[in-house]
Amino acid sequence: MRRNVLPGLSLSLGVTLFYVGLIVVLPLAALIFKAASLGPVDYWSIISSSRAVASYRVTVLSALGATAFNLVFGLALAWVLTRYRFPGWRLIDAMVDLPFALPTAVAGISLTALFANNGWFGSVLSELGIKVAYTPLGIMVAMCFTSLPFIVRTVQPVLEDLDPALEEAAQSLGGSDWTIFRKVIFPLLTPALLAGLSLSFARSLGEFGAIIFIAGNQPMSTEITALLVFIRLEEYDYQAAAAIASVLLITAFVMLAVTNLLQARALRYTARS
Amino acid sequence: MKIRLDHVVKTFNTFRAVRDVSLEIESGELVALLGPSGSGKTTILRMVAGLEFADGGHIYFGDQDATDIPVRDRGVGFVFQHYALFPHMTVQENIAFGMKVSKVKREKAAIAARVEELLRLVRLERLGDRFPAQISGGQRQRVALARALAVDPKVLLLDEPFGALDAAVRRDLRRWLREIHDELGITTLFVTHDQEEALDLADRVVILNEGQIVQEGTPEQVCRDPKSAFVTRFLGDANRLSAEVRGGVAYADGAAIAADGVANGAAEIYARPGDLDWSAAGPGIAASVTRVLDRPGGRRVIAVTAAGENLEFDVEPELAVRAGEQGFVTLRRAQVFAAS
């Protein structure tokens, strides 16, 4: 190995690898191992059971919906927080982190109280014929709440670092505000947006605490995959729990790989020749 | 296009960045705005561009009052100090940007042809497919210039265009910019804090201090006839000696310099390092050498007078002079200003 000027490589590398192995790789390996002990036929029948498939559908669709909503709203929030200073700016900026800090169960209970038919939002919405609590829409609301900070916090620093001269240059070349956003700002935000997107989606896929209060948890309609895993676990059916969990794991992994690829593509221009 | 600034004022919060500046730039002229940082030169340039709006006064492009026209409709080409190239677009795409977003629709082929032409003009024919991160600083600045020229601006504005480049590249690029200007004949205004760059490049130099124009003229005029101590100091190294003016002559310790038109009383004599002569025997201003700096073309001597004032001057490379030696300095040429 080449001599390195920075000291402590072997020690820090050793500690890091040990830590990653113990905390990240080992549990995942155990999960795969447990699921693999089923044999392919059983494994397939468990993960393709109609109840499991229904849970995938509601989880993935809600997560997609929540992520799409957060993409727009999170980008807008990040934009406002970086571009403008207004009274209460600091408060709003701090509140963005609240979903990170708040115990998810607290979030779930408060959302349920708000959106229940007699709650503040729920009573108004039910008059309009919209039911949120105990429907997939409720799942989406909970997912939105818990994953909002990801998009805001990944986009915000990039937006802050954006050289104002880029926009001025585009203006001096005759670009309209919308053209400048579309052709200059948005492409430069894309890598950060993708990162935020994948984190937000992954968090939504795995979210448990905030959702189970508001979801109603009816098998086949409002039962999320994470809950199904939990139920199997409660039934001491560790193998089935591991099998279903492995589907979540693989989904998250594939998605991370895809967004990393997209990100690398979007960042092609930074590579030196 | 002729540009005229008429009593332009700009204040940021309480900082008076530009105080009542009036200036005319003739069509086809290349003018430098020269001043130290905080002198308001960049603010003036940005107001001409429309990136900043004047609090008072007017800016005319030809006969048209352009004071309130936004930058995108003003028809100026602006080159930024740090290039401001779009990092996610290739060199070609950067140059084509203005033509693509313009309200005037252009054929794809026409745009491509114009990009080719501009790449030739800035001598970057082979680099069209590169991204800005893949080319050098000097090349980036040339791309920025090509991009600004692509929209056929009436006026070209450059904000410290060579400020971020190293010395050799700067020199090349400014000769080259002069050539491009002479070829295209576009009215050009550029900002710099580097007096050498301004004198090298511009038809006319406008010197600014604290938001006001302190002197303007051709490089020859401002160099030969600086109107104030500030201009003298700012244009290049100058030795300063305290003096006393009596009846049109400035007297310093061991020197008497003609000072026509300077009022009696305390004054300052300014002399360039090249205008001082050194001799071991008098007459002259007595001084002792504190340091000798060897340079390729000669020797720079730093000496201190009896009054404790530092003098710097150049002597022949062969002259044997050492720190601690005593001698006399005479002034071949100097300027006298009343003490401020």
Side-chain angles (χ1 to χ4, degrees), chain B residues 303-315:
Chain B
V304 60
T305 66
E309 288 172 317
N310 277 313
L311 293 178
E312 282 194 29
F313 50 92
D314 297 322
V315 297

Side-chain angles (χ1 to χ4, degrees), chain A residues 58-106:
Chain A
V58 72
T59 308
V60 170
L61 288 180
S62 307
L64 280 176
T67 306
F69 177 83
N70 278 348
L71 180 67
V72 177
F73 187 65
L75 178 59
L77 194 52
W79 182 272
V80 168
L81 285 174
T82 40
R83 292 292 163 122
Y84 313 107
R85 287 292 178 273
F86 45 87
W89 176 89
R90 203 172 285 278
L91 187 71
I92 293 189
D93 189 57
M95 268 178 11
V96 170
D97 288 329
L98 218 53
F100 275 160
L102 210 63
T104 51
V106 175

